[in-house]
Coordinates of all heavy atoms in Angstrom, one line a residue:
D991 N 0.9 -1.2 0.0 CA 0.0 0.0 0.0 C 0.8 1.2 -0.1 O 2.1 1.1 0.0 CB -0.9 0.0 1.2 CG -0.2 -0.3 2.5 OD1 1.0 0.1 2.7 OD2 -0.8 -0.9 3.4
D992 N 0.3 2.5 0.1 CA 0.9 3.7 0.0 C 1.9 3.8 1.3 O 2.9 4.5 1.3 CB 0.0 4.8 0.0 CG -0.6 4.9 -1.5 OD1 0.0 4.4 -2.4 OD2 -1.6 5.6 -1.6
T993 N 1.4 3.3 2.5 CA 2.2 3.3 3.7 C 3.6 2.6 3.5 O 4.5 3.3 3.8 CB 1.4 2.8 4.9 OG1 0.1 3.6 5.1 CG2 2.2 2.8 6.1
Q994 N 3.6 1.6 2.9 CA 4.7 0.8 2.8 C 5.7 1.5 1.7 O 6.9 1.6 1.9 CB 4.6 -0.6 2.3 CG 5.8 -1.5 2.4 CD 5.5 -2.9 1.8 OE1 4.7 -3.2 0.9 NE2 6.2 -3.9 2.4
L995 N 5.1 2.1 0.8 CA 5.9 2.9 -0.2 C 6.5 4.1 0.5 O 7.8 4.3 0.2 CB 5.1 3.3 -1.4 CG 5.7 4.3 -2.4 CD1 6.8 3.4 -3.2 CD2 4.6 4.6 -3.4
N996 N 5.9 4.8 1.4 CA 6.4 5.9 2.1 C 7.5 5.5 3.0 O 8.4 6.2 3.1 CB 5.3 6.6 2.8 CG 4.4 7.5 1.9 OD1 4.9 8.0 0.8 ND2 3.1 7.6 2.2
H997 N 7.2 4.3 3.6 CA 8.3 3.8 4.5 C 9.7 3.6 3.7 O 10.8 3.8 4.2 CB 7.9 2.5 5.2 CG 6.9 2.7 6.3 ND1 6.2 1.7 6.8 CD2 6.6 3.9 6.9 CE1 5.3 2.1 7.7 NE2 5.6 3.5 7.8
L998 N 9.6 3.0 2.5 CA 10.7 2.8 1.6 C 11.5 4.1 1.2 O 12.7 4.2 1.3 CB 10.2 1.9 0.4 CG 11.3 1.8 -0.6 CD1 12.4 1.1 -0.2 CD2 10.8 1.2 -1.9
I999 N 10.6 5.1 0.9 CA 11.2 6.4 0.5 C 11.9 7.0 1.8 O 13.0 7.5 1.6 CB 10.0 7.4 0.0 CG1 9.4 6.8 -1.3 CG2 10.6 8.7 -0.2 CD1 8.2 7.5 -1.7
D1000 N 11.3 7.0 2.9 CA 12.0 7.4 4.1 C 13.3 6.7 4.4 O 14.3 7.3 4.6 CB 11.0 7.4 5.2 CG 9.8 8.2 5.1 OD1 9.9 9.3 4.3 OD2 8.8 8.1 5.9
A1001 N 13.3 5.4 4.2 CA 14.4 4.6 4.5 C 15.5 5.0 3.5 O 16.8 5.0 3.8 CB 14.1 3.2 4.5
L1002 N 15.2 5.0 2.3 CA 16.2 5.5 1.2 C 16.9 6.8 1.4 O 18.0 7.0 1.3 CB 15.5 5.4 -0.2 CG 15.2 3.9 -0.7 CD1 14.4 4.0 -2.0 CD2 16.4 3.0 -0.8
R1003 N 15.9 7.7 1.8 CA 16.4 9.1 2.1 C 17.3 9.2 3.4 O 18.4 9.9 3.4 CB 15.3 10.1 2.3 CG 14.6 10.5 1.0 CD 13.4 11.2 1.2 NE 12.8 11.7 -0.1 CZ 11.7 12.3 -0.3 NH1 10.8 12.5 0.9 NH2 11.2 12.7 -1.4
T1004 N 17.0 8.4 4.4 CA 17.8 8.3 5.6 C 19.2 7.8 5.3 O 20.2 8.2 5.9 CB 17.1 7.5 6.7 OG1 15.8 8.0 7.0 CG2 17.9 7.3 8.0
A1005 N 19.2 6.7 4.4 CA 20.5 6.2 4.0 C 21.2 7.0 3.0 O 22.2 6.6 2.5 CB 20.2 4.8 3.4
E1006 N 20.6 8.2 2.6 CA 21.2 9.2 1.7 C 21.5 8.6 0.4 O 22.4 8.9 -0.3 CB 22.6 9.7 2.3 CG 22.5 10.4 3.6 CD 23.7 11.0 4.1 OE1 24.9 10.6 3.5 OE2 23.8 11.9 5.0
I1007 N 20.4 7.8 0.0 CA 20.3 7.2 -1.4 C 19.7 8.2 -2.3 O 18.5 8.5 -2.0 CB 19.9 5.8 -1.4 CG1 20.7 4.8 -0.6 CG2 19.7 5.3 -2.8 CD1 20.0 3.5 -0.5
T1008 N 20.2 8.7 -3.5 CA 19.5 9.6 -4.3 C 18.4 8.9 -5.1 O 18.7 7.9 -5.8 CB 20.4 10.3 -5.2 OG1 21.5 10.9 -4.3 CG2 19.8 11.3 -6.1
I1009 N 17.3 9.3 -5.0 CA 16.0 8.9 -5.8 C 15.9 9.6 -7.0 O 15.6 10.9 -6.9 CB 14.8 8.6 -4.9 CG1 15.1 7.9 -3.6 CG2 13.8 8.1 -5.7 CD1 13.9 7.9 -2.6
R1010 N 16.0 9.1 -8.1 CA 15.9 9.8 -9.4 C 14.3 9.9 -9.8 O 13.8 10.8 -10.3 CB 16.6 9.3 -10.5 CG 16.6 9.9 -11.9 CD 17.5 9.3 -12.8 NE 18.9 9.8 -12.5 CZ 20.0 9.2 -12.9 NH1 19.9 8.2 -13.9 NH2 21.2 9.6 -12.5
G1011 N 13.7 8.8 -9.5 CA 12.2 8.8 -9.7 C 11.5 7.5 -9.2 O 12.2 6.6 -9.0
I1012 N 10.3 7.6 -8.8 CA 9.4 6.5 -8.6 C 8.2 6.8 -9.5 O 7.3 7.6 -9.3 CB 8.9 6.5 -7.1 CG1 10.3 6.4 -6.2 CG2 8.0 5.3 -6.9 CD1 9.9 6.4 -4.7
V1013 N 8.0 5.8 -10.5 CA 7.0 5.9 -11.4 C 6.0 4.7 -11.4 O 6.6 3.6 -11.4 CB 7.6 6.1 -12.9 CG1 6.5 6.3 -13.9 CG2 8.7 7.2 -12.9
P1014 N 4.9 4.9 -11.4 CA 3.9 3.8 -11.4 C 4.0 2.9 -12.6 O 4.2 3.5 -13.8 CB 2.5 4.4 -11.4 CG 2.6 5.8 -10.8 CD 4.0 6.3 -11.2
R1015 N 4.1 1.6 -12.5 CA 4.3 0.8 -13.6 C 3.0 0.8 -14.4 O 1.9 0.7 -14.0 CB 4.7 -0.6 -13.2 CG 5.1 -1.6 -14.3 CD 5.3 -3.0 -13.9 NE 5.5 -3.9 -14.9 CZ 5.2 -5.1 -15.0 NH1 4.5 -5.8 -13.9 NH2 5.5 -5.9 -16.1
K1016 N 3.2 0.8 -15.8 CA 2.1 0.7 -16.6 C 2.2 -0.3 -17.7 O 3.3 -0.7 -18.1 CB 2.0 2.2 -17.3 CG 1.7 3.2 -16.3 CD 1.6 4.7 -17.0 CE 1.3 5.8 -16.2 NZ 1.2 7.1 -16.8

């Protein structure tokens, strides 16, 4: 769900991993 997605984003940012994009798969 969106909650788990937000947890992933927070964890990646905490680890200082640069996110270029998160795009819904189509």
Side-chain angles (χ1 to χ4, degrees):
D991 49 33
D992 289 344
T993 299
Q994 190 180 36
L995 178 63
N996 286 326
H997 286 162
L998 172 61
I999 294 172
D1000 291 341
L1002 292 173
R1003 286 174 172 169
T1004 299
E1006 297 183 348
I1007 297 174
T1008 302
I1009 303 171
R1010 181 171 291 163
I1012 298 179
V1013 182
R1015 188 186 174 209
K1016 297 181 179 181

